[in-house]
Amino acid sequence: MNKIFELSRQKLFFLAGTIAIITVLALLPTGFEGALQFKDAVKCRAKVLSVDNTSIIDTGLIRTGQQVCSVEFLDGKFKGQTADGWNMLGGSLAQDKLFKTSDTVQCIVHHDGEEIISVNLIDYYRLHGELFLALAFAIFLITFARGVGLRSVLSFIITVLALWKIVVPLFLKGFNPIVTGLIAIAIMTFIILFLVYGLNRKLAASFCGAMSGIVFAMMLSIICSKAFHIHGAVMSNSEALLYSGFQYLNLTQIFMASVCIGASGSVMDLSVDITSAVGEVVRNCPGISRKEVIKSGMTVARAAMGTMTTTLLLAYSGTCIALLMTFMAQGTPVYNILNNNIVAAEIINTIAGSFGLAMTAPLTALIAGTLLTRKNNEISKGTEH
């Protein structure tokens, strides 16, 4: 009974600590709150009542000009009122949208007191749908995996907040991206693995194995980026940062750090899989030798590596599938494709991440086998005496 009470108390303490971390991260200022666009305007939802497309100029697939929409505000200071809103088209299929009647849109209302000056229609309103999707995912995880699912949801929230509240602001403030990225990944890895294992030897084994692979991936990304003459501007939207007053940013180092951030999830996953497998071997075979445990861990590591490297390849290939289709449609030779800077950057992403996984697997098996069998060996020696 005392053990059950103690266990429940530990879970409550654990949950309270996790919620405290999430609260601190959520309230932590980024330092860029003052850079908010349209600070003096009202941001709100609106329903499109009617549209006027007479000012739109069609040139093949490209549309330019402006769409005028009559909208009714659904919330905010002007809730219930109607006005004409402007949807500017710049000829970009990726950025432009054409609204129709009954659409719910996000808009910016410029005003002078109670008088509406202008209404800009920014985009479709998607927050409710995104929130529903996130809640459905969280409910499914918790229902299916219970305690593990809850910890997964908490670790997901912590990761998002850490990236947005710590990593991104520090990068923008000019901190060294490589050092900052490694420290941030180490902290996030420790917290997430703590949520999985608690404070024990499994945490130590998994953390050491994961960080060894991440550090190796970082080193490889630095070497390959310099050897392949890759500039960080290959990252989508990165040049816009330089033109927004952040000329001091080292985009290439940010790219190097992004390689490790992108691979860290898979590396962490692999280290947990191997550590858990080794832990189960030790738990079910208490008398097993350290050598046999490490051998079993290596077997699991080899099997896991076969699929994890392919996982990274498919993940990164999916982000540039349109580019590959363009190359094929234009008849671009493979020789030219492989020399393209964007393709070379994705190759670095894939190979550096895969190398990190390849290093993580055997090292995690070795570390887990060493740490998790030490206690058993000590017990066995005590029994012999």
Side-chain angles (χ1 to χ4, degrees), residues 277-297 368-370 372-381:
V278 171
E280 284 299 299
V281 170
V282 173
R283 186 175 69 85
N284 289 289
C285 303
I288 192 172
S289 68
R290 180 176 297 169
K291 182 179 179 181
E292 289 299 318
V293 171
I294 294 175
K295 184 178 178 181
S296 297
T370 302
L372 300 184
T373 55
R374 185 171 63 183
K375 186 175 180 180
N376 285 353
N377 291 341
E378 290 172 356
I379 293 172
S380 299
K381 289 179 182 180

mmCIF file of all heavy atoms in Angstrom, residues 277-297 368-370 372-381:
data_model
loop_
_atom_site.group_PDB
_atom_site.id
_atom_site.type_symbol
_atom_site.label_atom_id
_atom_site.label_comp_id
_atom_site.label_asym_id
_atom_site.label_seq_id
_atom_site.Cartn_x
_atom_site.Cartn_y
_atom_site.Cartn_z
ATOM 1 N N ALA A 277 14.754 -2.146 -25.585
ATOM 2 C CA ALA A 277 14.974 -3.558 -25.914
ATOM 3 C C ALA A 277 16.020 -4.185 -25.001
ATOM 4 O O ALA A 277 15.834 -5.301 -24.485
ATOM 5 C CB ALA A 277 15.403 -3.693 -27.377
ATOM 6 N N VAL A 278 17.105 -3.469 -24.770
ATOM 7 C CA VAL A 278 18.151 -3.964 -23.867
ATOM 8 C C VAL A 278 17.611 -4.092 -22.448
ATOM 9 O O VAL A 278 17.885 -5.075 -21.743
ATOM 10 C CB VAL A 278 19.376 -3.020 -23.899
ATOM 11 C CG1 VAL A 278 20.374 -3.403 -22.799
ATOM 12 C CG2 VAL A 278 20.049 -3.077 -25.257
ATOM 13 N N GLY A 279 16.812 -3.126 -22.035
ATOM 14 C CA GLY A 279 16.215 -3.182 -20.698
ATOM 15 C C GLY A 279 15.317 -4.390 -20.518
ATOM 16 O O GLY A 279 15.305 -5.019 -19.451
ATOM 17 N N GLU A 280 14.549 -4.732 -21.555
ATOM 18 C CA GLU A 280 13.673 -5.904 -21.485
ATOM 19 C C GLU A 280 14.479 -7.193 -21.418
ATOM 20 O O GLU A 280 14.102 -8.141 -20.718
ATOM 21 C CB GLU A 280 12.736 -5.920 -22.698
ATOM 22 C CG GLU A 280 11.601 -4.920 -22.608
ATOM 23 C CD GLU A 280 10.719 -5.197 -21.401
ATOM 24 O OE1 GLU A 280 10.126 -6.280 -21.311
ATOM 25 O OE2 GLU A 280 10.645 -4.311 -20.523
ATOM 26 N N VAL A 281 15.585 -7.245 -22.155
ATOM 27 C CA VAL A 281 16.453 -8.432 -22.111
ATOM 28 C C VAL A 281 16.993 -8.635 -20.700
ATOM 29 O O VAL A 281 16.969 -9.750 -20.151
ATOM 30 C CB VAL A 281 17.617 -8.292 -23.116
ATOM 31 C CG1 VAL A 281 18.650 -9.403 -22.891
ATOM 32 C CG2 VAL A 281 17.100 -8.353 -24.541
ATOM 33 N N VAL A 282 17.465 -7.546 -20.084
ATOM 34 C CA VAL A 282 18.019 -7.630 -18.728
ATOM 35 C C VAL A 282 16.935 -7.991 -17.714
ATOM 36 O O VAL A 282 17.161 -8.790 -16.801
ATOM 37 C CB VAL A 282 18.685 -6.283 -18.348
ATOM 38 C CG1 VAL A 282 19.111 -6.285 -16.883
ATOM 39 C CG2 VAL A 282 19.875 -6.002 -19.245
ATOM 40 N N ARG A 283 15.742 -7.427 -17.892
ATOM 41 C CA ARG A 283 14.660 -7.694 -16.941
ATOM 42 C C ARG A 283 14.205 -9.143 -17.006
ATOM 43 O O ARG A 283 13.918 -9.764 -15.975
ATOM 44 C CB ARG A 283 13.483 -6.765 -17.229
ATOM 45 C CG ARG A 283 12.354 -6.851 -16.204
ATOM 46 C CD ARG A 283 11.289 -5.819 -16.486
ATOM 47 N NE ARG A 283 10.561 -6.110 -17.709
ATOM 48 C CZ ARG A 283 9.504 -6.933 -17.776
ATOM 49 N NH1 ARG A 283 9.061 -7.534 -16.676
ATOM 50 N NH2 ARG A 283 8.888 -7.132 -18.914
ATOM 51 N N ASN A 284 14.132 -9.716 -18.193
ATOM 52 C CA ASN A 284 13.654 -11.089 -18.343
ATOM 53 C C ASN A 284 14.731 -12.132 -18.147
ATOM 54 O O ASN A 284 14.417 -13.307 -17.924
ATOM 55 C CB ASN A 284 13.017 -11.270 -19.733
ATOM 56 C CG ASN A 284 11.691 -10.545 -19.857
ATOM 57 O OD1 ASN A 284 10.697 -10.951 -19.258
ATOM 58 N ND2 ASN A 284 11.660 -9.454 -20.610
ATOM 59 N N CYS A 285 15.995 -11.707 -18.265
ATOM 60 C CA CYS A 285 17.114 -12.637 -18.044
ATOM 61 C C CYS A 285 18.085 -12.009 -17.052
ATOM 62 O O CYS A 285 19.157 -11.514 -17.454
ATOM 63 C CB CYS A 285 17.815 -12.964 -19.353
ATOM 64 S SG CYS A 285 16.748 -13.651 -20.624
ATOM 65 N N PRO A 286 17.748 -11.999 -15.766
ATOM 66 C CA PRO A 286 18.574 -11.289 -14.774
ATOM 67 C C PRO A 286 20.018 -11.787 -14.703
ATOM 68 O O PRO A 286 20.915 -11.014 -14.370
ATOM 69 C CB PRO A 286 17.846 -11.566 -13.448
ATOM 70 C CG PRO A 286 16.451 -11.928 -13.855
ATOM 71 C CD PRO A 286 16.573 -12.632 -15.159
ATOM 72 N N GLY A 287 20.246 -13.058 -15.001
ATOM 73 C CA GLY A 287 21.594 -13.602 -14.881
ATOM 74 C C GLY A 287 22.438 -13.458 -16.117
ATOM 75 O O GLY A 287 23.572 -13.960 -16.151
ATOM 76 N N ILE A 288 21.936 -12.794 -17.146
ATOM 77 C CA ILE A 288 22.663 -12.691 -18.414
ATOM 78 C C ILE A 288 23.917 -11.841 -18.248
ATOM 79 O O ILE A 288 23.952 -10.892 -17.460
ATOM 80 C CB ILE A 288 21.740 -12.098 -19.505
ATOM 81 C CG1 ILE A 288 22.365 -12.247 -20.883
ATOM 82 C CG2 ILE A 288 21.420 -10.644 -19.211
ATOM 83 C CD1 ILE A 288 21.426 -11.869 -22.013
ATOM 84 N N SER A 289 24.952 -12.204 -18.990
ATOM 85 C CA SER A 289 26.211 -11.469 -18.891
ATOM 86 C C SER A 289 26.149 -10.166 -19.679
ATOM 87 O O SER A 289 25.321 -10.000 -20.574
ATOM 88 C CB SER A 289 27.365 -12.330 -19.422
ATOM 89 O OG SER A 289 27.221 -12.520 -20.825
ATOM 90 N N ARG A 290 27.042 -9.275 -19.334
ATOM 91 C CA ARG A 290 27.086 -7.993 -20.020
ATOM 92 C C ARG A 290 27.394 -8.167 -21.506
ATOM 93 O O ARG A 290 26.817 -7.490 -22.360
ATOM 94 C CB ARG A 290 28.132 -7.102 -19.365
ATOM 95 C CG ARG A 290 28.271 -5.726 -19.996
ATOM 96 C CD ARG A 290 29.249 -4.871 -19.228
ATOM 97 N NE ARG A 290 28.773 -4.640 -17.875
ATOM 98 C CZ ARG A 290 29.516 -4.099 -16.911
ATOM 99 N NH1 ARG A 290 30.770 -3.781 -17.159
ATOM 100 N NH2 ARG A 290 29.032 -3.917 -15.702
ATOM 101 N N LYS A 291 28.281 -9.096 -21.815
ATOM 102 C CA LYS A 291 28.651 -9.344 -23.204
ATOM 103 C C LYS A 291 27.450 -9.793 -24.017
ATOM 104 O O LYS A 291 27.239 -9.341 -25.157
ATOM 105 C CB LYS A 291 29.759 -10.401 -23.251
ATOM 106 C CG LYS A 291 30.250 -10.705 -24.655
ATOM 107 C CD LYS A 291 31.374 -11.737 -24.613
ATOM 108 C CE LYS A 291 31.853 -12.052 -26.030
ATOM 109 N NZ LYS A 291 32.944 -13.068 -26.018
ATOM 110 N N GLU A 292 26.634 -10.677 -23.460
ATOM 111 C CA GLU A 292 25.448 -11.169 -24.165
ATOM 112 C C GLU A 292 24.402 -10.068 -24.334
ATOM 113 O O GLU A 292 23.711 -9.994 -25.359
ATOM 114 C CB GLU A 292 24.846 -12.352 -23.401
ATOM 115 C CG GLU A 292 25.675 -13.626 -23.477
ATOM 116 C CD GLU A 292 25.821 -14.126 -24.899
ATOM 117 O OE1 GLU A 292 24.813 -14.099 -25.637
ATOM 118 O OE2 GLU A 292 26.942 -14.518 -25.284
ATOM 119 N N VAL A 293 24.270 -9.213 -23.322
ATOM 120 C CA VAL A 293 23.325 -8.096 -23.423
ATOM 121 C C VAL A 293 23.733 -7.150 -24.542
ATOM 122 O O VAL A 293 22.899 -6.726 -25.361
ATOM 123 C CB VAL A 293 23.240 -7.338 -22.080
ATOM 124 C CG1 VAL A 293 22.427 -6.064 -22.253
ATOM 125 C CG2 VAL A 293 22.608 -8.213 -21.021
ATOM 126 N N ILE A 294 25.013 -6.810 -24.588
ATOM 127 C CA ILE A 294 25.498 -5.912 -25.641
ATOM 128 C C ILE A 294 25.309 -6.546 -27.017
ATOM 129 O O ILE A 294 24.908 -5.878 -27.979
ATOM 130 C CB ILE A 294 26.984 -5.557 -25.402
ATOM 131 C CG1 ILE A 294 27.115 -4.734 -24.121
ATOM 132 C CG2 ILE A 294 27.559 -4.804 -26.589
ATOM 133 C CD1 ILE A 294 28.552 -4.427 -23.724
ATOM 134 N N LYS A 295 25.551 -7.855 -27.093
ATOM 135 C CA LYS A 295 25.358 -8.568 -28.365
ATOM 136 C C LYS A 295 23.892 -8.502 -28.808
ATOM 137 O O LYS A 295 23.586 -8.265 -29.986
ATOM 138 C CB LYS A 295 25.807 -10.007 -28.212
ATOM 139 C CG LYS A 295 25.735 -10.823 -29.493
ATOM 140 C CD LYS A 295 26.239 -12.241 -29.270
ATOM 141 C CE LYS A 295 26.121 -13.068 -30.557
ATOM 142 N NZ LYS A 295 26.584 -14.465 -30.336
ATOM 143 N N SER A 296 22.982 -8.686 -27.864
ATOM 144 C CA SER A 296 21.556 -8.596 -28.182
ATOM 145 C C SER A 296 21.188 -7.180 -28.616
ATOM 146 O O SER A 296 20.404 -6.968 -29.550
ATOM 147 C CB SER A 296 20.723 -8.997 -26.962
ATOM 148 O OG SER A 296 20.959 -10.345 -26.610
ATOM 149 N N GLY A 297 21.750 -6.192 -27.928
ATOM 150 C CA GLY A 297 21.501 -4.802 -28.295
ATOM 151 C C GLY A 297 21.996 -4.490 -29.699
ATOM 152 O O GLY A 297 21.334 -3.764 -30.454
ATOM 153 N N ALA A 368 23.958 1.114 -23.154
ATOM 154 C CA ALA A 368 22.841 0.498 -22.431
ATOM 155 C C ALA A 368 23.226 -0.846 -21.862
ATOM 156 O O ALA A 368 22.892 -1.179 -20.713
ATOM 157 C CB ALA A 368 21.639 0.353 -23.369
ATOM 158 N N GLY A 369 23.940 -1.643 -22.666
ATOM 159 C CA GLY A 369 24.381 -2.946 -22.164
ATOM 160 C C GLY A 369 25.297 -2.819 -20.966
ATOM 161 O O GLY A 369 25.234 -3.627 -20.028
ATOM 162 N N THR A 370 26.140 -1.807 -20.968
ATOM 163 C CA THR A 370 27.076 -1.593 -19.853
ATOM 164 C C THR A 370 26.362 -1.096 -18.600
ATOM 165 O O THR A 370 26.563 -1.621 -17.499
ATOM 166 C CB THR A 370 28.166 -0.583 -20.269
ATOM 167 O OG1 THR A 370 28.848 -1.072 -21.420
ATOM 168 C CG2 THR A 370 29.159 -0.375 -19.127
ATOM 169 N N LEU A 372 22.974 -1.011 -17.846
ATOM 170 C CA LEU A 372 21.815 -1.749 -17.340
ATOM 171 C C LEU A 372 22.167 -3.104 -16.768
ATOM 172 O O LEU A 372 21.359 -3.706 -16.060
ATOM 173 C CB LEU A 372 20.776 -1.915 -18.455
ATOM 174 C CG LEU A 372 20.224 -0.610 -19.035
ATOM 175 C CD1 LEU A 372 19.141 -0.907 -20.060
ATOM 176 C CD2 LEU A 372 19.682 0.290 -17.943
ATOM 177 N N THR A 373 23.360 -3.618 -17.052
ATOM 178 C CA THR A 373 23.755 -4.911 -16.472
ATOM 179 C C THR A 373 24.678 -4.750 -15.278
ATOM 180 O O THR A 373 24.969 -5.713 -14.587
ATOM 181 C CB THR A 373 24.472 -5.789 -17.516
ATOM 182 O OG1 THR A 373 25.585 -5.070 -18.065
ATOM 183 C CG2 THR A 373 23.521 -6.181 -18.621
ATOM 184 N N ARG A 374 25.107 -3.545 -14.992
ATOM 185 C CA ARG A 374 26.029 -3.340 -13.883
ATOM 186 C C ARG A 374 25.394 -3.742 -12.558
ATOM 187 O O ARG A 374 25.998 -4.416 -11.737
ATOM 188 C CB ARG A 374 26.465 -1.873 -13.828
ATOM 189 C CG ARG A 374 27.521 -1.606 -12.754
ATOM 190 C CD ARG A 374 28.076 -0.205 -12.882
ATOM 191 N NE ARG A 374 27.033 0.797 -12.666
ATOM 192 C CZ ARG A 374 27.251 2.110 -12.789
ATOM 193 N NH1 ARG A 374 28.455 2.538 -13.156
ATOM 194 N NH2 ARG A 374 26.275 2.956 -12.553
ATOM 195 N N LYS A 375 24.138 -3.365 -12.376
ATOM 196 C CA LYS A 375 23.448 -3.685 -11.130
ATOM 197 C C LYS A 375 23.290 -5.190 -10.961
ATOM 198 O O LYS A 375 23.494 -5.744 -9.880
ATOM 199 C CB LYS A 375 22.080 -3.006 -11.100
ATOM 200 C CG LYS A 375 21.353 -3.167 -9.781
ATOM 201 C CD LYS A 375 20.057 -2.373 -9.788
ATOM 202 C CE LYS A 375 19.323 -2.521 -8.465
ATOM 203 N NZ LYS A 375 18.063 -1.751 -8.449
ATOM 204 N N ASN A 376 22.941 -5.855 -12.068
ATOM 205 C CA ASN A 376 22.766 -7.310 -12.007
ATOM 206 C C ASN A 376 24.065 -7.999 -11.640
ATOM 207 O O ASN A 376 24.098 -8.952 -10.855
ATOM 208 C CB ASN A 376 22.277 -7.848 -13.354
ATOM 209 C CG ASN A 376 20.814 -7.534 -13.580
ATOM 210 O OD1 ASN A 376 20.152 -7.032 -12.685
ATOM 211 N ND2 ASN A 376 20.329 -7.798 -14.779
ATOM 212 N N ASN A 377 25.179 -7.527 -12.239
ATOM 213 C CA ASN A 377 26.481 -8.132 -11.948
ATOM 214 C C ASN A 377 26.863 -7.930 -10.489
ATOM 215 O O ASN A 377 27.423 -8.822 -9.837
ATOM 216 C CB ASN A 377 27.554 -7.525 -12.853
ATOM 217 C CG ASN A 377 27.368 -7.935 -14.307
ATOM 218 O OD1 ASN A 377 26.676 -8.913 -14.580
ATOM 219 N ND2 ASN A 377 27.976 -7.196 -15.233
ATOM 220 N N GLU A 378 26.528 -6.750 -9.959
ATOM 221 C CA GLU A 378 26.844 -6.494 -8.550
ATOM 222 C C GLU A 378 26.039 -7.425 -7.638
ATOM 223 O O GLU A 378 26.543 -7.950 -6.654
ATOM 224 C CB GLU A 378 26.538 -5.026 -8.224
ATOM 225 C CG GLU A 378 27.506 -4.055 -8.885
ATOM 226 C CD GLU A 378 27.063 -2.606 -8.717
ATOM 227 O OE1 GLU A 378 25.966 -2.412 -8.152
ATOM 228 O OE2 GLU A 378 27.800 -1.694 -9.152
ATOM 229 N N ILE A 379 24.763 -7.657 -7.999
ATOM 230 C CA ILE A 379 23.919 -8.546 -7.203
ATOM 231 C C ILE A 379 24.448 -9.974 -7.257
ATOM 232 O O ILE A 379 24.504 -10.690 -6.260
ATOM 233 C CB ILE A 379 22.457 -8.486 -7.695
ATOM 234 C CG1 ILE A 379 21.875 -7.114 -7.413
ATOM 235 C CG2 ILE A 379 21.620 -9.557 -7.054
ATOM 236 C CD1 ILE A 379 20.506 -6.894 -8.026
ATOM 237 N N SER A 380 24.859 -10.380 -8.471
ATOM 238 C CA SER A 380 25.370 -11.746 -8.643
ATOM 239 C C SER A 380 26.615 -11.962 -7.832
ATOM 240 O O SER A 380 26.796 -12.988 -7.167
ATOM 241 C CB SER A 380 25.651 -12.010 -10.122
ATOM 242 O OG SER A 380 24.479 -11.884 -10.888
ATOM 243 N N LYS A 381 27.526 -10.958 -7.808
ATOM 244 C CA LYS A 381 28.746 -11.089 -7.026
ATOM 245 C C LYS A 381 28.454 -11.147 -5.539
ATOM 246 O O LYS A 381 29.057 -11.915 -4.783
ATOM 247 C CB LYS A 381 29.665 -9.892 -7.330
ATOM 248 C CG LYS A 381 30.277 -9.940 -8.732
ATOM 249 C CD LYS A 381 31.140 -8.733 -8.986
ATOM 250 C CE LYS A 381 31.721 -8.749 -10.390
ATOM 251 N NZ LYS A 381 32.567 -7.562 -10.662
#
